[in-house]
Amino acid sequence: MYIAREATKLWRKVSAETAAELQLLLEKWQLLLAGLVFQYIHGLAARGVHYLHRPGPLLQDLGFMALPELGQEKGYLSESVFTFIFISFLLWSFHPFIYHSKRFYTILLWRRVLAFLVASQFLRIITFYSTQLPGPNYHCREGSKLATLPPPNNALEVLLINFPRGVLFGCGDLIFSSHMIFTLVFVRTYYKYGSNRLIKLLAWLMAVIQSLLIIASRKHYTVDVVVAWYTVNLVVFFVDKKLPEMPDRTNGLSLLPVSSKDKDGRTKEELHKLDGRMRDEFHKLLNGNTVDATDRRQRVLMNGKHGEDMSHSVSDATPNGT
């Protein structure tokens, strides 16, 4: 009985959240789609610069001097840390579908995340096409068959970007690190919208560890990581100021805009009343109640008034002194 009751509550939460998120998706799908399409454009640009890459001797690098080389057999360490960060953030971004306490809508959160990623990746494309450095990764060094690519036979060969091999064994797209773009965007987003202080500290620690592992694995020069740290943080800072702030869901369900008037010209007071009615409907759906909250309040007021009238009637009908 307990499992069935909890499963029913969970289903109501998921259903209510899905309905709200779908409403937002219908309104914001253009920007989300544009962000996803740009991920392909970014991959296409990284594939294109591989055709321009020419291997050469490793550049002098302070990070290479300070950090011991992990070697090819331990190159998976940095990828493992990145995969953990990516999956953890992805799961956390969808927690409003399950947990009762929530601070944001998943659609609106990923809209911001994609805006940060697109702005950072646009700057990255300009940077690594401006100057091609000899790649420090093992498959990009002199003597490796993957260091250079022969001219493509047709446009389709370029457009398909040889996924996923072309992404994993790319060369030339160095300044600045794409892994650090995703890592820093995820960490900064959780730092703003997350609620656990310990996880926030661990997230920044994971970003530092990720940076050191990328350099120790010789997948990037130190400059690629350093430039990512200040560029991505600045991009997130300025883009976040330009985007409209997300509604705070800490106190309940809210689908209302933050501005003083919405599209229909309603004032804040009217929107607040409407927001309260929406919260009542939301809690009614979660708790399985069939009585409308507004009807309950009216009945309480009517019962109080009725009781007051009855007391006056009794006092009037009772003789004085008794």
Side-chain angles (χ1 to χ4, degrees):
M1 291 294 294
Y2 174 78
I3 295 176
R5 183 170 62 253
E6 293 301 317
T8 302
K9 290 182 179 180
L10 178 61
W11 174 249
R12 287 171 181 158
K13 291 179 182 178
V14 173
S15 300
E17 188 68 24
T18 301
E21 296 285 356
L22 285 177
Q23 180 181 349
L24 289 171
L25 180 61
L26 292 175
E27 298 175 1
K28 311 293 184 181
W29 68 269
Q30 297 95 335
L31 294 175
L32 290 171
L33 180 61
L36 293 175
V37 170
F38 195 85
Q39 300 309 301
Y40 167 74
I41 296 175
H42 175 253
L44 186 63
R47 177 67 173 177
V49 80
H50 196 167
Y51 288 99
L52 304 176
H53 177 257
R54 295 296 177 266
L58 292 182
L59 303 179
Q60 187 172 351
D61 190 281
L62 185 61
F64 290 180
M65 300 177 186
L67 296 175
E69 189 172 350
L70 291 178
Q72 286 183 282
E73 64 279 0
K74 294 183 180 180
Y76 67 91
L77 292 176
S78 63
E79 295 298 330
S80 300
V81 173
F82 176 75
T83 302
F84 175 78
I85 295 173
F86 189 93
I87 295 178
S88 299
F89 182 84
L90 182 67
L91 294 176
W92 169 77
S93 68
F94 282 90
H95 85 272
F97 284 85
I98 299 176
Y99 289 92
H100 181 71
S101 60
K102 55 199 74 177
R103 298 183 61 183
F104 56 83
Y105 289 97
T106 301
I107 294 295
L108 298 181
L109 182 79
W110 276 102
R111 182 171 174 260
R112 301 181 83 85
V113 168
L114 287 172
F116 301 150
L117 292 176
V118 168
S120 301
Q121 290 166 341
F122 178 76
L123 296 176
R124 180 175 188 260
I125 293 173
I126 295 176
T127 307
F128 65 63
Y129 265 103
S130 300
T131 302
Q132 289 85 47
L133 303 178
N137 211 336
Y138 301 101
H139 64 269
C140 298
R141 299 180 183 180
E142 293 178 318
S144 173
K145 296 181 180 180
L146 299 175
T148 57
L149 291 178
N153 297 322
N154 50 61
L156 186 61
E157 183 179 338
V158 179
L159 295 175
L160 293 178
I161 67 176
N162 193 22
F163 184 85
R165 185 177 178 83
V167 176
L168 297 176
F169 295 96
C171 298
D173 56 328
L174 293 175
I175 302 177
F176 40 97
S177 171
S178 179
H179 282 59
M180 290 309 302
I181 290 178
F182 280 91
T183 299
L184 292 172
V185 166
F186 291 166
V187 170
R188 282 193 61 104
T189 302
Y190 182 82
Y191 188 80
K192 181 175 182 179
Y193 298 106
S195 57
N196 192 303
R197 292 184 178 179
L198 178 60
I199 295 180
K200 292 180 181 181
L201 295 176
L202 290 176
W204 283 114
L205 179 61
M206 293 289 289
V208 174
I209 294 175
Q210 171 77 357
S211 303
L212 298 176
L213 287 176
I214 288 176
I215 299 172
S217 301
R218 304 301 189 255
K219 295 181 177 180
H220 277 277
Y221 291 109
T222 305
V223 65
D224 307 336
V225 176
V226 172
V227 171
W229 268 91
Y230 63 75
T231 302
V232 176
N233 279 288
L234 288 173
V235 166
V236 173
F237 176 79
F238 286 107
V239 173
D240 186 63
K241 286 184 174 296
K242 296 296 182 180
L243 295 175
E245 189 55 61
M246 294 197 301
D248 188 6
R249 305 184 65 187
T250 306
N251 297 324
L253 183 67
S254 176
L255 279 174
L256 302 177
V258 185
S259 59
S260 59
K261 286 191 176 184
D262 69 350
K263 296 180 180 179
D264 298 329
R266 288 174 289 191
T267 62
K268 283 184 177 180
E269 290 75 12
E270 294 173 341
L271 294 175
H272 182 71
K273 294 178 181 179
L274 179 60
D275 193 21
R277 290 197 294 270
M278 294 176 66
R279 281 198 297 268
D280 291 338
E281 292 294 332
F282 177 71
H283 291 303
K284 180 183 72 173
L285 178 62
L286 292 182
N287 297 327
N289 298 332
T290 56
V291 180
D292 187 78
T294 306
D295 294 340
R296 272 201 305 273
R297 289 196 295 268
Q298 292 176 351
R299 291 178 184 180
V300 170
L301 292 174
M302 292 176 63
N303 291 336
K305 184 177 180 181
H306 179 70
E308 186 178 348
D309 294 340
M310 288 292 294
S311 62
H312 284 300
S313 300
V314 172
S315 61
D316 293 340
T318 304
N320 295 331
T322 59

